[in-house]
Amino acid sequence: MQNSTNQKPVISIHYLNHYFGQGQLRKQVLFDINLEIAAGEIVIMTGPSGSGKTTLLTLVSGLRSTQSGSMRILGQELCGATNEQLIQARRHNGYIFQAHNLHRSLTALQNVQMGLEVQSKFSRPEMEECATAMLEQVGLGNRLNYYPENLSGGQKQRVAIARALVSHPAIVLADEPTAALDSKSGRDVVNLMQKLAKEQKSTILLVTHDNRILDIADRIVHMEDGKLVNNSTMSMAA
Amino acid sequence: MIFKVLKNRTPLGWLQLKHDKMRLLTALSGIAFADILIFMQLGFKDALYTTNTQYPRQIQGDIVVLSSQATNFNKLSTFPRRRLYQAMDIPGVKSAEAVYLGSLDWRNPQTRKKTSMMVIGFDPDRPVFDLPEVNRQLDKVKIPNTVLLDQASRGEYQEVISQIQQGKTLTTEIDRNTVTITGLFQVGASFQDDGALITSAQNFLQLFPRRQVGTVSLGVINLKDGYNLEDVRTYLNAYLPQDIRAFTYQEYVEFELNYIQTSSAIGFIFGLGTAVGLIVGIVIVYQVLSTDVNDHMAEYATFKAMGYRNFYLLGVVFEEAIILAFIGFVPSVAIASGLYRLTAIATALPLVMPVSRVILVLILTIMMCTVSGAIATRKLHSADPADIF
């Protein structure tokens, strides 16, 4: 599935509607979303708080069940997918959160290994080797056995990026990865994401408020009140 | 396949426990506390069973005859000695000995304090107990007003013991009689009496003036070779009047045990104590594990977002529970063994640590921690990755 061609979009969303709540409290948060993202494309999604960006991201990532419309990720339809299919879908993604969400009882190296262990196809020495190499790539080769509490904010986010990318995911999803960082660390983190994703030919969907990092995008989509605006479904950048 | 998965797995539960030393210590002391409580309860229960059956176990005979009113060794009631003579008529019966039992207060020769002692009297020419120490010294109690003292009796007897061991004798007072202690043996105190004295039937009747030679507490029958134990016992029960019951030795020991286990509150009380220990353990381990799950909610949700199944996180919690069970259990065995010894010294009760109990408590501990783990995992469902994104 990872060798999807440029002709076939990696993420393909059609007529997606999403609702929160039940009965009288039922409220529509996403309206007729159409979005296609090709392999290797870096797409930044902007928009005010509460516009539905994060909800869309959780649907793309398989963290929420798609209710109506079509959501094809790497050729797999997530609308009406079983729980097990959602779990499998999550394993093709690399996640970068606003907070680093590293496990505090694990060292940097062990945290990154957890990104490989979920695939359950590597032996322990292989995992250790990959994780070490990945941490060296994010410039933390000398911090392998540090616990998160002994790392700075930027370093922690770099470990989180290493954890997300160590399994060479087809899709990288990031939710405001720079929100908790100062401008320099934020810039470093984004450059790193861009560099690694290009090397691994991953597709990136990044949600942000941060105008300073918009320049890494191949395409910018804007979301407002649950609707996508300025969106051309034909990708030019791939 | 499973082995390979386990080998490659990061021991997350262990790493989590190890990382928070304070929480680990809390959990371990909680488990150790619960285990020690359970060990003490089981120890006392067994000690009670043993002490209340140690004389019955030492009886040297094939068949034991009791009054049909008898409930246990401490409440044997009495039956006419005539029954034993009648038993002698039955084919296969070689001998039928009378044993007299009673409880009285005596003055501890060392402290001059009154304590309750069990007194056992029988014909010194015909030993009824399998106690070589006693049987060697039976000649001594043929002298009027002499007794043998159980040196494991509860209370202060060190001086008495050392004097008698040097070959001296000591006198003390029972009611208005002066009695001489001429020898020692060792069995151990029971909950009922602080100790025991063994003497001749004649001396027994001196000490208990209201008892008559014709009413005995217990009969010990030995058979001639070649006769079937059960047959003779059945015949005895049929042949003798209904005021007595005959048991084989084995049946009698079971009768005593059964009494303590069912008719006394001992089993219930210590069983309850054990249950309380278990519940205390479950509550403490649950507290620790659920706090741990709560603290790691965001991390667990992240794992779910990465594609780990709920099952994996359940595994982490149970891993923690099992690890806690084992490492909490080890110190508790050591501490409980020490406490057994201290208690044994302080109370003269036979508290020992059999392997079977160690295994039983280990199993209980694992169950305890698994139950706590199972309750704690209910919180895992709230680790929803959609909420932390």
Side-chain angles (χ1 to χ4, degrees), chain B residues 91-111:
Chain B
V93 173
K94 189 168 78 181
S95 66
E97 303 305 331
V99 181
Y100 301 85
L101 284 169
S103 194
L104 48 66
D105 287 340
W106 88 327
R107 243 177 235 290
N108 179 332
Q110 189 174 325
T111 61

Side-chain angles (χ1 to χ4, degrees), chain A residues 9 19 28 47 85 88 97 111-112 138 178 181-182 187 193-194 227 229:
Chain A
Y19 307 85
Q28 188 163 6
Q85 284 170 325
Q88 290 300 336
F97 304 88
N111 263 299
V112 176
V138 300
T178 59
L181 303 177
D182 61 70
R187 188 73 231 172
M193 276 176 62
Q194 185 187 23
K227 294 176 184 116
V229 287

Side-chain angles (χ1 to χ4, degrees), chain B residues 137-213:
Chain B
Q137 304 183 73
L138 283 176
D139 275 347
K140 294 180 182 171
V141 295
K142 289 178 179 168
I143 303 163
N145 290 324
T146 57
V147 294
L148 303 177
L149 169 67
D150 183 356
Q151 64 182 52
S153 295
R154 198 180 298 129
E156 293 168 37
Y157 288 101
Q158 300 91 327
E159 279 175 41
V160 180
I161 291 165
S162 71
Q163 291 216 18
I164 290 171
Q165 276 167 347
Q166 286 162 24
K168 295 177 191 164
T169 57
L170 272 169
T171 58
T172 186
E173 191 185 297
I174 295 176
D175 285 338
R176 290 197 180 76
N177 299 304
T178 303
V179 294
T180 311
I181 308 161
T182 52
L184 299 170
F185 66 97
Q186 186 158 10
V187 176
S190 71
F191 273 65
Q192 183 91 12
D193 295 298
D194 289 331
L197 303 171
I198 287 181
T199 187
S200 67
Q202 274 77 12
N203 287 338
F204 178 90
L205 294 168
Q206 280 286 313
L207 296 173
F208 294 87
R210 276 186 285 181
R211 292 283 292 272
Q212 286 165 355
V213 70

